[in-house]
Amino acid sequence: MRIAVTGTKGQVAQALQERGRDRGVEVVALGRPDLDLMAPATVAPALRAANAEVVVNAAAYTAVDKAESEPEVVDAVNARGAGAVAAAASALGLPLVHLSTDYVFAGDLDRPYREDDPTGPRGAYGRSKLAGEAAVAAATPDHAILRTAWVYSPFGANFVKSMLRLAATRDAIGVVADQHGSPTSALDIADAVLQVCTNLRARPEDATLRGIFHMAGAGYTTWARFAEAVFEVSAAQQGPVARVEPIPTSAYLSGEAPGQLAARFREAAFAPSSRFAGLARINR
């Protein structure tokens, strides 16, 4: 199987290349300048030249805080860019796997989110990703939109690497303790995406494999407890360790606690899907 994935430096794109090699799947990573979501005219030629059997749209603008000051840029990449990828995949007759996020929700439920829950993003990033989902669905019915959360990996910038970097120079780090989410390894996402790609190709008429699905790590925790777990593993490997000081989101947003890492907006974990019960459903 030959897969074209948008993005070359993102966590999922890099994880797909690693897992693809392990599984004998050819993963063609497409990035700037050949494929630039800010320049939609580059998308179709790049995908056509890739000669792939499935398209994975993993490229995205993910700087959540910065997105508030660059709404046009984040919309161009996450909304219009996603639509351009979906339209190009449709024109080539290829199924599309599109990566989305839990930020499409407001995060104010007292239970984990399901796929059929109303969306309500509170920030520019979440709004752009929700618009991207709509653009993908409008451009092609042959899609699987996978919403994931709290992604970490050995690649790129992420919460785990930020904690370890800060711990190298600080004894204590303030971390938000009143937000809940499901930490998810990009390597696990890559394994799941490869299986989804296989299923979409093998069962082109199966509507149950198409649509919106929640795909995240099992269970949920807070950013503070996640940080504690990171340092427990780091300590066992003689790596950097810091004391975690739990703080409320209000302290993070007001800047009262220096050195803290957290999402800008409150999030909630995903519920196991009745259609995609964790990874069990896609690993059939």
Side-chain angles (χ1 to χ4, degrees):
M1 182 168 58
R2 185 176 170 92
I3 297 172
V5 57
T6 63
T8 58
K9 298 180 180 179
Q11 294 186 77
V12 173
Q14 292 186 72
L16 276 169
Q17 293 175 72
E18 179 174 307
R19 292 305 208 213
R21 287 191 295 270
D22 294 343
R23 295 176 57 163
V25 176
E26 190 173 2
V27 177
V28 181
L30 303 172
R32 294 178 291 184
D34 298 324
L35 186 148
D36 185 352
L37 296 188
M38 290 284 290
T42 66
V43 173
L47 290 181
R48 191 179 306 112
N51 195 30
E53 297 163 283
V54 187
V55 177
V56 176
N57 186 35
Y61 181 115
T62 59
V64 177
D65 288 357
K66 191 177 179 182
E68 296 302 310
S69 62
E70 295 185 335
E72 285 299 320
V73 176
V74 72
D75 283 343
V77 175
N78 292 348
R80 296 189 294 277
V85 173
S90 180
L92 293 169
L94 303 178
L96 172 69
V97 178
H98 175 70
L99 275 295
S100 192
T101 174
D102 55 346
Y103 273 87
V104 300
F105 295 108
D108 52 8
L109 286 187
D110 58 0
R111 60 161 175 78
Y113 278 92
R114 300 186 297 262
E115 287 89 339
D116 58 355
D117 281 323
T119 54
R122 293 187 175 183
Y125 171 69
R127 288 192 294 270
S128 73
K129 292 297 288 182
L130 183 60
E133 292 184 3
V136 166
T140 176
D142 196 4
H143 68 263
I145 295 170
L146 308 179
R147 292 172 177 158
T148 191
W150 292 27
V151 181
Y152 66 94
S153 73
F155 315 113
N158 57 70
F159 181 81
V160 173
K161 293 175 75 172
S162 293
M163 288 292 102
L164 295 175
R165 174 177 52 79
L166 290 174
T169 59
R170 299 179 184 179
D171 295 327
I173 306 172
V175 186
V176 166
D178 57 359
Q179 298 180 24
H180 294 81
S182 301
T184 310
S185 166
L187 294 169
D188 287 344
I189 293 173
D191 286 338
V193 166
L194 291 172
Q195 187 62 54
V196 171
C197 290
T198 298
N199 291 348
L200 291 175
R201 287 189 64 239
R203 296 149 67 180
E205 305 302 325
D206 191 343
T208 68
L209 296 175
R210 288 153 175 84
I212 296 176
F213 305 96
H214 289 177
M215 186 186 70
Y220 60 92
T221 188
T222 65
W223 288 113
R225 290 180 180 175
F226 187 16
E228 290 171 350
V230 169
F231 292 137
E232 287 176 8
V233 173
S234 183
Q237 299 178 354
Q238 288 75 54
V241 176
R243 183 177 71 258
V244 174
E245 297 181 343
I247 62 171
T249 298
S250 57
Y252 166 70
L253 294 177
S254 67
E256 294 173 5
Q260 71 280 6
L261 267 292
R264 182 176 177 83
F265 300 102
R266 185 185 173 198
E267 301 175 75
F270 287 154
S273 168
S274 58
R275 300 169 68 193
F276 251 37
L279 295 184
R281 175 69 174 82
I282 60 176
N283 283 330
R284 282 183 180 176

